[in-house]
Each structure stands twice: as structure tokens, then as C-alpha cells.
């Protein structure tokens, strides 16, 4: 008998003629039941290429830069999107997608509200992991490191370069806090617009950047017949040590 997956959701949707999905109401929740055999068949072959030791740059930042440029040249949509994983003071992990907003040989920069859940995690546990996944190139980059706030001047410069509407939302939003409706935020935005009708917005103290300072990189290249190529860079004894990992 096929195994089923039950998913608790708060809305109803129509499955049409898709025989792999069925559903039924259970009290006030809709239970979607999906045949797990369908999930098991969701697979693809990796055939883009290989990553060999001789292909690697000795500096992982340079290696990342080459791959990032490849992703941009391939016109991958949102090549700058990265998963940011943090851990709370009680050891509970969280992950979300954020935008890479700069990198150099110090680290990788993203911006957020300093009162958000991710910022609270970082305050209590200043370590994080990043993941870039470029499906079109069969490539993944994992980065582990420590996290510190960027300088206020750096955050202010980036804030000033952003579109007005984006900044209005950041100033108005109490990110990650419960809100009764979107209208509450829209009302705040309108009040801020009126207040700054003849002046520009200034980067608020509760918003700014973080830089992840890497201590470890892993470059993953999908391979034929699941023989993936994996190389890890670790910062040890004031230099980057490279190791090849099994798939």
C-alpha cells in the first residue's frame, strides 16, 4: 500500500485532474494527501560538467567570484539569492532566502531589520551558514562563518541607493512582528510619506547590514550518475586548506 503524506493547510485549492493528489476536509482544516511514490520519482540527471582539482583557485573568494560570474553570464534569475541559516539562543535553526548585496575578501553582505528574527538569532549566536544554488549550472556553494554588523556608513550608503518604495517599507515595517492586517503597514507608509514629503528618508538605526566572515566554503558540482564533485576550503593556520569530499 502506498505511503501518504498529510499536509495541514489553511486554504483550499482545486487539484483538477491530477490523480497523484487527493484531499478531504478534517474539521476546519483541509488535509492534502500525496502519494509519496510520486515524490520519489522526482529526480533528474546532472550533466553540466565536472569540477577537478586543477580547476580550483587557491583562494575560495576567487573561486566563488568565478562561479558567481558564470551564474550572471548564464542569465540565471536571481543569481544573488542565497539561503541564510541561523540558530537561536536555544538551539532552534531557521532558514530563509535573502539577497546578496556585496562581497569581498572579508565576507558576504546582506541587509535586514536589526529587530527581525534573524537579527535576534545572530545577536545570541553570531554564526551562520549561506547556500547558493544555481540549478541551471548544477552548482551549489555552502559557506559557514561568523557574523558582524557592517559599519553604519556602509549601511547608510546602501540605503540611499535603494528605490524610495523599498526604503518606505523598511522604515515602516516592524519585521517579524505580528500584525492585524497589511492595512496597518500601508497606513504607516502613508504617514511616513507625508512626513518626508519635502525631505529624503534616512537609514533608521534599526536597519542595516551584516557581513558573514567565512571560515569554510564548499563548492559542489553535480555529476553524472550521482558522482558529484565536492571541494571544501577551511581556514586553518592562517591559510585556506582544500579537501575533496566524497559525494
Amino acid at each position: 500500500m502506498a505511503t501518504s503524506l498529510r499536509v495541514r493547510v489553511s486554504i483550499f485549492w482545486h487539484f483538477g485532474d491530477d490523480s497523484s493528489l487527493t484531499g478531504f476536509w478534517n474539521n476546519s482544516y483541509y488535509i492534502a494527501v500525496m502519494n509519496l511514490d510520486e515524490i520519489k520519482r522526482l529526480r533528474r540527471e546532472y550533466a553540466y560538467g565536472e569540477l577537478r582539482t586543477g580547476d580550483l583557485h587557491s583562494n575560495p573568494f576567487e573561486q566563488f567570484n568565478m562561479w558567481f560570474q558564470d551564474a550572471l553570464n548564464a542569465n540565471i534569475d536571481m543569481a544573488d539569492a542565497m539561503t541564510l541559516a541561523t540558530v537561536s539562543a536555544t538551539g532552534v535553526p531557521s532558514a530563509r532566502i535573502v539577497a546578496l548585496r556585496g562581497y569581498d575578501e572579508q565576507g558576504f553582505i546582506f541587509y535586514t531589520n536589526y529587530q527581525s528574527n534573524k537579527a535576534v538569532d545572530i545577536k545570541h549566536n553570531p554564526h551562520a551558514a549561506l547556500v547558493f544554488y544555481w540549478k541551471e549550472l548544477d552548482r551549489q556553494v555552502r559557506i559557514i562563518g561568523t557574523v558582524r554588523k557592517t559599519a553604519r556608513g556602509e549601511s547608510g550608503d546602501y540605503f540611499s541607493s535603494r528605490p524610495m518604495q523599498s526604503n518606505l517599507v523598511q522604515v515602516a515595517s516592524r519585521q517579524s512582528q505580528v500584525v492585524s492586517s497589511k492595512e496597518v503597514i500601508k497606513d504607516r507608509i502613508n504617514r511616513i510619506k507625508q512626513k518626508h514629503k519635502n525631505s529624503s528618508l534616512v537609514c533608521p538605526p534599526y536597519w542595516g547590514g551584516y557581513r558573514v566572515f567565512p571560515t569554510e566554503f564548499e563548492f559542489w558540482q553535480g555529476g553524472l550518475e550521482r558522482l558529484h564533485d565536492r571541494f571544501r576550503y577551511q581556514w586553518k593556520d592562517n591559510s585556506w586548506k582544500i579537501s575533496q569530499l566524497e559525494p
Side-chain angles (χ1 to χ4, degrees):
M1 183 167 59
T3 307
S4 295
L5 172 68
R6 291 191 172 190
V7 183
R8 178 173 171 173
V9 296
S10 56
I11 60 173
F12 172 80
W13 66 88
H14 177 60
F15 293 123
D17 296 328
D18 188 343
S19 60
S20 67
L21 292 170
T22 57
F24 57 88
W25 286 100
N26 179 14
N27 297 327
S28 60
Y29 296 96
Y30 187 81
I31 305 299
V33 180
M34 183 173 185
N35 190 326
L36 288 186
D37 289 337
E38 297 294 323
I39 297 177
K40 293 173 184 176
R41 287 194 285 271
L42 295 175
R43 60 178 61 247
R44 58 185 284 267
E45 190 56 82
Y46 299 95
Y48 184 82
E50 291 182 300
L51 181 62
R52 301 179 180 89
T53 305
D55 300 327
L56 296 172
H57 199 286
S58 59
N59 184 327
F61 291 98
E62 292 294 340
Q63 182 64 38
F64 177 85
N65 187 57
M66 289 190 295
W67 274 24
F68 188 61
Q69 290 301 319
D70 286 346
L72 295 177
N73 293 338
N75 295 316
I76 293 175
D77 189 33
M78 297 184 70
D80 58 333
M82 60 185 184
T83 299
L84 166 69
T86 57
V87 179
S88 72
T90 57
V92 178
S94 296
R96 74 288 287 163
I97 305 296
V98 299
L100 174 68
R101 283 296 169 256
Y103 67 92
D104 53 27
E105 289 212 14
Q106 282 192 302
F108 295 79
I109 299 171
F110 65 93
Y111 290 86
T112 189
N113 188 306
Y114 287 149
Q115 298 169 341
S116 64
N117 287 343
K118 68 178 85 65
V120 173
D121 283 356
I122 291 168
K123 179 180 179 180
H124 295 289
N125 187 348
H127 299 85
L130 306 175
V131 180
F132 294 86
Y133 178 54
W134 300 305
K135 178 178 70 68
E136 294 83 351
L137 301 177
D138 293 340
R139 287 175 176 175
Q140 174 179 264
V141 181
R142 294 195 311 114
I143 299 166
I144 298 172
T146 58
V147 191
R148 294 200 298 270
K149 289 180 179 178
T150 60
R152 286 309 297 165
E154 194 171 357
S155 295
D157 289 344
Y158 174 66
F159 187 87
S160 299
S161 73
R162 288 158 48 93
M164 180 67 168
Q165 183 59 37
S166 298
N167 284 341
L168 281 168
V169 173
Q170 296 306 327
V171 171
S173 174
R174 299 166 185 170
Q175 194 177 46
S176 302
Q177 301 302 307
V178 175
V179 66
S180 58
S181 74
K182 190 182 288 186
E183 299 307 313
V184 173
I185 305 170
K186 288 181 177 179
D187 181 61
R188 269 192 230 131
I189 289 173
N190 288 332
R191 283 188 274 115
I192 293 169
K193 278 183 178 178
Q194 288 301 313
K195 182 179 178 180
H196 293 273
K197 190 161 39 176
N198 299 313
S199 62
S200 57
L201 288 173
V202 176
C203 182
Y206 52 81
W207 190 92
Y210 283 104
R211 180 180 272 105
V212 178
F213 295 83
T215 55
E216 182 175 316
F217 287 76
E218 183 191 318
F219 293 87
W220 179 96
Q221 176 72 65
L224 286 171
E225 298 178 342
R226 297 303 190 267
L227 289 174
H228 310 310
D229 296 309
R230 298 174 60 192
F231 289 91
R232 180 178 62 197
Y233 293 71
Q234 291 178 301
W235 182 252
K236 292 181 177 180
D237 301 323
N238 294 316
S239 66
W240 290 104
K241 312 298 184 184
I242 304 176
S243 304
Q244 185 167 7
L245 305 178
E246 296 195 22

